[in-house]
Amino acid sequence: MPAIEIPSGYTREDWLTYVQRGRRILRAKSASNFEMGDMLNEMLDGQPRGGGEITRITELFAKQIRSKGSTLVKYRYVARAWPVEHRRSDVPWSVHEGLAGLPNRFQLIREEPSDELDPRELGVWHYDAVRRARRGLPEVPATSTERIDTAKRLLRDTHEAAEAVTQLADRTEVLKRAIEDPGFRRAIRDANRDRSQRLEEEAKAQWETPASCPPPSRSAGTESETKPSVSYRESPSSVLKILGQCTTFCVSMQNAVVLAQEELLTTEEEEAVLDSVKKVRAVCDWCEHVVTTGQTDMDDELARLLGGGEGDQL
């Protein structure tokens, strides 16, 4: 049986006295609400239904006792849902109201844990307990699952959720714990792959139509003097294709390398990457040789490195 927490500034005896008084007040209010609901059922059960007669009588009665019709309807509904033998005088009326629509309400109201002011161990019900019973989230989450579910409910907006994850990344211990989860690592890899693919597609779209690419600006000063420029309208398609391939490669590799820094590469993966970079460097040297000499010959060392000659994949 859990003990009642005593806040600072109160003696145990004084605080327990206040709690007992508060519970008595709630019981008195609950009794009066049930009394009103029972009376309404007594008044209206014998009246003909249909044609809005019940509603008309309820509204008239509410006006004459200076109450609201909707409030009286609620009292009547809860009183009907809870026969006298199933009500608990030590449980607030609001709890009975919250449980009224549940088919197992009679069992639920008997099962709530007790506390030290409940010597008969009838159980202590409160608003959050009702929300849990109705499979809802409590106002004050008490467990890890409830706190996480509450955070997910509050962060339904994608941008806000992403910002929250970004800020949590400042806590190194959080990332270290999260990275141990296989599902989290898989989600990060999938997100990185999708981002890399999107960046590659954007770079490809930029260069696949030569006519749509603006010529280098001649107002760039020093930049126009140090970088060679070509006419995108007059240059052969093969030249434009080479320029486009080189640009796409540079953009893609920059993005891929940055993404690779965020991964936990194994020794084998690192060696495979370096081997591929070595092959790319050799191909670039060969391309430079072909362009400057017009000869497509390939020495034995390069052919061996590329795996058997021209046309092989890296």
Side-chain angles (χ1 to χ4, degrees):
M1 180 184 299
I4 292 179
E5 180 182 358
I6 310 298
S8 60
Y10 297 89
T11 65
R12 178 179 179 80
E13 181 179 359
D14 288 343
W15 181 255
L16 293 183
T17 299
Y18 284 129
V19 173
Q20 289 173 327
R21 287 174 58 188
R23 290 185 180 179
R24 283 198 299 269
I25 293 172
L26 288 178
R27 286 197 295 270
K29 184 177 185 301
S30 297
S32 64
N33 289 347
F34 272 123
E35 182 180 5
M36 178 64 74
D38 289 337
M39 184 184 70
L40 288 167
N41 284 320
E42 178 184 340
M43 289 170 48
L44 299 173
D45 281 352
Q47 297 300 316
R49 298 180 179 277
E53 184 65 13
I54 296 295
T55 300
R56 189 188 72 80
I57 296 175
T58 302
E59 292 293 341
L60 177 61
F61 184 68
K63 180 179 180 181
Q64 294 179 0
I65 67 172
R66 297 182 176 86
S67 182
K68 293 182 179 180
S70 58
T71 301
L72 297 188
V73 169
K74 185 189 305 181
Y75 289 158
R76 182 173 180 238
Y77 165 74
V78 175
R80 184 179 295 277
W82 291 96
V84 176
E85 63 271 18
H86 291 292
R87 300 173 189 173
R88 281 183 48 177
S89 60
D90 63 321
V91 173
W93 183 87
S94 59
V95 171
H96 288 85
E97 178 193 9
L99 299 177
L102 301 181
N104 59 337
R105 57 188 178 278
F106 302 149
Q107 176 184 356
L108 284 174
I109 206 165
R110 294 194 302 267
E111 292 180 350
E112 181 68 6
S114 304
D115 64 22
E116 58 181 309
L117 287 182
D118 183 27
R120 293 184 297 167
E121 298 188 5
L122 295 176
V124 179
W125 274 96
H126 48 80
Y127 181 71
D128 278 346
V130 173
R131 292 179 66 91
R132 293 187 183 99
R134 299 177 64 172
R135 300 294 188 270
L137 291 176
E139 292 292 327
V140 182
T143 66
S144 174
T145 299
E146 288 178 352
R147 286 189 287 271
I148 293 173
D149 288 343
T150 299
K152 290 166 64 177
R153 180 190 62 182
L154 295 175
L155 295 173
R156 289 180 178 176
D157 181 81
T158 301
H159 296 292
E160 292 180 357
E163 180 63 24
V165 172
T166 301
Q167 293 189 20
L168 285 173
D170 292 340
R171 298 170 55 181
T172 306
E173 70 279 8
V174 173
L175 283 183
K176 288 182 177 179
R177 178 66 62 86
I179 206 66
E180 295 296 327
D181 182 79
F184 180 77
R185 293 198 301 272
R186 182 167 56 252
I188 293 296
R189 286 196 298 268
D190 291 345
N192 282 336
R193 184 180 62 251
D194 292 344
R195 178 175 181 269
S196 178
Q197 182 178 358
R198 174 176 57 81
L199 293 175
E200 290 179 3
E201 291 174 351
E202 291 175 356
K204 181 179 179 181
Q206 178 182 359
W207 288 96
E208 65 183 0
T209 309
S212 65
C213 300
S217 172
R218 295 189 176 277
S219 61
T222 305
E223 183 179 356
S224 64
E225 296 175 0
T226 58
K227 293 185 178 181
S229 60
V230 297
S231 171
Y232 284 81
R233 296 184 180 276
E234 300 176 1
S235 297
S237 60
S238 59
V239 173
L240 297 178
K241 185 175 182 180
I242 292 175
L243 295 177
Q245 292 282 359
C246 290
T247 301
T248 300
F249 173 78
C250 291
V251 172
S252 299
M253 283 299 293
Q254 289 178 28
N255 296 329
V257 170
V258 171
L259 293 176
Q261 291 179 331
E262 302 170 2
E263 296 284 356
L264 300 177
L265 299 182
T266 64
T267 302
E268 292 77 11
E269 291 170 341
E270 182 177 341
E271 291 178 353
V273 169
L274 295 178
D275 183 63
S276 291
V277 170
K278 183 178 180 181
K279 291 180 180 179
V280 170
R281 186 179 296 112
V283 170
C284 290
D285 291 341
W286 176 73
C287 291
E288 181 179 355
H289 169 75
V290 173
V291 171
T292 56
T293 67
Q295 299 177 0
T296 59
D297 58 301
M298 184 180 296
D299 59 36
D300 294 339
E301 178 62 21
L302 178 58
R304 184 194 61 77
L305 180 63
L306 299 183
E310 298 179 67
D312 283 0
Q313 298 295 322
L314 297 180

